[in-house]
Amino acid sequence: MTDAIDARDELTSPRSAPKVPILDRRRFLAVSSMAAAAFAVSCTTGSPAATTAATQSGTWAKGIRVRFFTGGDAGDAFASIVYKGAQQAQADLGVTVDYVFSGWDVNKMTSQLRDAIAAKPDGIAMMGHPGDAAIRPLAQQAHDAGILMEYQNVDVPTVRQSLGGGYVGAVLTPQGAALGQSAIQSFNLKSGDRAIVFGAWDEPGRFLREEGTAKAFETAGLVVDRIITPTAAGSDPNVLTPIVSAAYLKHPTTKVICYSGGQTLSAVPSYMKAISKGPGDVINIGFDLSPAVIDAFKQGYVQLTSDQQPFLQGYLPVLSLCLSKKWNFSALSYDSGAGLVTKSNYQSVAALATAGIR
């Protein structure tokens, strides 16, 4: 078997993803702090010395107001890390941030975005889950009102092309393809093997990542069952238990199951026990890290995941909005989804995952 690439190194998706450096948190914060100081000295019309002192004391973005969407609920496995990243940016920069929790409900996000625009903050960091069509008219309202927009986790390329804004998150299709191709290599999957891929198949634009995995499997000759992950599973992964059970019992020769997020991936031990399978009896892969996912690695129930570094999806959008508001810099975009974590290397990021940073 071939080990997947270490999550601490650079990863290039086999065909189309660019090389993207994965920064550890301390190095990233040091780089962003130095960059902010340099920007201040070169761009402000005031005293360079005074501005440099402000950046070093973490007050250079004081007075800027941002409305930040975490995507899920405050305590869920993924949103909690996004939240920590945004809070760290708030502490580092001195910006005022109001947080929005949506339970991964796209209709709720859309309604909350409308409320956010009405509040007239300087900038909004928005989860792109509702999609281009739903977000576009509201993004136009924000644009007309002079409110800056940044997007995280799910891209809205059509909106950004016409109305501006950066995107911080994984480039979804290559990320999914890389996960599938790594699983094929690492676990010697062959033509004719069965796979289950969970995803938001009922929401156009929301399953690009999972479709990348499914197509990688199908290109290798695997038979793929695409099964919808209910939105409620984002907050309560137990919702997926009977669905996993029914899907597996329908095709008990299934070799690999791919889950669509850290919330459900973290619940794999429960799912496997529900179908009377032990560690390693079924190959379980997916996306994201959390303390519970690390624990599932330790128990042997999870074998592979793609880490999209949600801490950066919290930190960078806040930083981008502040830089754009204060000094009129272009919006930042960053591919955060290049790292694969395996049963061979998960220990190298275990402490960070336990701390809620990875």
Side-chain angles (χ1 to χ4, degrees):
M1 293 191 296
T2 302
D3 284 337
I5 296 172
D6 193 291
R8 297 167 296 177
D9 298 333
E10 291 183 348
L11 170 71
T12 301
S13 178
R15 289 189 175 84
S16 57
K19 279 191 175 181
V20 178
I22 298 180
L23 304 180
D24 66 68
R25 176 174 175 267
R26 286 177 295 180
R27 185 156 64 94
F28 169 73
L29 293 179
V31 169
S32 64
S33 178
M34 288 187 293
F39 292 154
V41 171
S42 63
C43 299
T44 184
T45 57
S47 164
T51 304
T52 301
T55 61
Q56 292 174 344
S57 66
T59 61
W60 67 266
K62 186 176 181 180
I64 296 174
R65 296 184 304 114
V66 168
R67 186 71 63 98
F68 187 92
F69 283 70
T70 67
D73 293 322
D76 80 40
F78 189 88
S80 63
I81 305 176
V82 176
Y83 184 33
K84 284 185 179 180
Q87 287 181 305
Q88 185 64 56
Q90 180 180 6
D92 289 348
L93 310 178
V95 58
T96 298
V97 183
D98 295 318
Y99 297 95
V100 181
F101 300 94
S102 310
W104 304 111
D105 184 327
V106 295
N107 294 320
K108 188 175 183 180
M109 286 183 193
T110 303
S111 176
Q112 290 170 328
L113 177 56
R114 189 175 293 108
D115 294 340
I117 294 168
K120 298 181 179 179
D122 295 303
I124 298 173
M126 175 64 186
M127 288 279 171
H129 296 70
D132 277 296
I135 288 178
R136 183 181 177 82
L138 296 174
Q140 183 68 60
Q141 290 180 26
H143 180 272
D144 294 345
I147 300 171
L148 299 170
M149 294 292 296
E150 182 84 8
Y151 302 92
Q152 60 267 9
N153 196 242
V154 173
D155 199 4
V156 282
T158 301
V159 170
R160 293 197 303 112
Q161 183 177 14
S162 60
L163 296 170
Y167 169 63
V168 180
V171 181
L172 299 177
T173 299
Q175 183 194 20
L179 180 73
Q181 290 158 4
S182 180
I184 291 165
Q185 289 182 326
S186 298
F187 309 116
N188 198 27
L189 299 174
K190 298 181 176 63
S191 179
D193 287 343
R194 295 200 73 99
I196 294 171
V197 179
F198 284 99
W201 303 109
D202 56 339
E203 298 180 32
R206 284 289 313 284
F207 52 77
L208 297 177
R209 184 175 62 179
E210 291 76 12
E211 182 66 5
T213 303
K215 285 187 174 180
F217 285 158
E218 289 172 336
T219 298
L222 278 70
V223 180
V224 177
D225 295 312
R226 292 169 172 80
I227 298 178
I228 293 172
T229 301
T231 299
S235 298
D236 181 8
N238 293 321
V239 170
L240 202 64
T241 302
I243 301 174
V244 173
S245 298
Y248 186 83
L249 292 175
K250 183 177 180 180
H251 298 292
T253 60
T254 295
K255 292 288 186 68
V256 57
I257 302 177
C258 177
Y259 303 86
S260 58
Q263 298 92 323
T264 51
L265 188 64
S266 67
V268 161
S270 295
Y271 302 152
M272 292 299 99
K273 290 171 185 176
I275 58 174
S276 300
K277 295 296 177 182
D281 290 344
V282 178
I283 300 162
N284 291 286
I285 68 174
F287 301 91
D288 306 336
L289 277 176
S290 70
V293 170
I294 291 295
D295 191 53
F297 267 110
K298 290 179 181 178
Q299 295 181 57
Y301 283 104
V302 169
Q303 288 76 35
L304 177 67
T305 188
S306 180
D307 174 23
Q308 59 175 318
Q309 303 179 105
F311 187 92
L312 293 184
Q313 295 181 22
Y315 195 104
L316 284 177
V318 176
L319 175 63
S320 178
L321 290 168
C322 291
L323 290 172
S324 295
K325 178 63 180 179
K326 192 167 185 70
W327 295 306
N328 203 30
F329 275 89
S330 300
L332 297 176
S333 289
Y334 185 88
D335 177 3
S336 67
L340 291 173
V341 180
T342 75
K343 59 184 180 181
S344 299
N345 68 24
Y346 77 88
Q347 292 180 337
S348 67
V349 292
L352 292 173
T354 300
I357 296 170
R358 287 290 292 273

